[in-house]
Structures are given as C-alpha cells and as structure tokens.
Amino acid sequence: MKLMNQFCENNGARFFFDTSDCDVYVIGHRRLNDLYGWIVPNGEADDFEAGWKAMADRVDGEYGAQWYHAIVWDDRDGAAVPVIVG
C-alpha cells in the first residue's frame, strides 16, 4: 500500500483502502497485492476521510463511487507501476 500512497501523493490525491482479492504480483523483489479503494483528489480528501472512517459506504453503496477503483500492478523493467482500472 505504501507504493500506492506514494503514487497518489505524487499525483495530487490520497488513497483510501477498501479491500483486496489477494492476487499477488512479484515485481523487482517486491510482493504486491491488488487493491480496491478510493483515489480522492486532495481538495476533497479530508471530507471523504470522515465518511470513510465512519464506513459511510456500508450504508450508502454510492458513497464515493466516482473515485472507486481497482488497482493491479504492471512490471515495467522491474519497476512496479500501478494500473488503475475502473
């Protein structure tokens, strides 16, 4: 998750973890799992975080839907690069 957080930070966003299917990718001596969660622009992240901590998505299935993504990993010459799906 550290690598995904760095990627988001470098792109003006924050990542909020939801779950994983536990698919494992081994890239450049790193073991990475697929991730599911919200990639939220920095300007909206604090407001979203309050609802995320309160598990608002469990009550409202559409909570943050516009930012919800699956993340898998691509091996680019030994460097792990997130591929954002959906």
Side-chain angles (χ1 to χ4, degrees), residues 14 16 47 52-53 58 62 70 73-74:
R14 287 173 47 199
F16 296 88
D47 288 338
W52 176 74
K53 285 181 177 178
R58 304 298 188 242
E62 293 300 310
W73 298 94
D74 190 27

Side-chain angles (χ1 to χ4, degrees), residues 10-38:
N10 291 339
N11 288 284
R14 287 173 47 199
F15 180 69
F16 296 88
F17 177 76
D18 183 32
T19 191
S20 173
D21 284 339
C22 297
D23 292 330
V24 176
Y25 303 80
V26 178
I27 301 172
H29 305 292
R30 286 184 160 189
R31 229 182 111 110
L32 303 161
N33 286 54
D34 63 338
L35 302 169
Y36 292 83
W38 298 267

Side-chain angles (χ1 to χ4, degrees), residues 52-63:
W52 176 74
K53 285 181 177 178
M55 295 190 201
D57 62 302
R58 304 298 188 242
V59 176
D60 176 2
E62 293 300 310
Y63 183 77

Side-chain angles (χ1 to χ4, degrees), residues 1 3-5 13 24 32-33 42 45 48 50 53-54 56 58 71 74 82 86:
M1 200 139 45
L3 194 56
M4 188 60 200
N5 286 330
V24 176
L32 303 161
N33 286 54
N42 282 336
F48 178 83
K53 285 181 177 178
R58 304 298 188 242
I71 295 93
D74 190 27

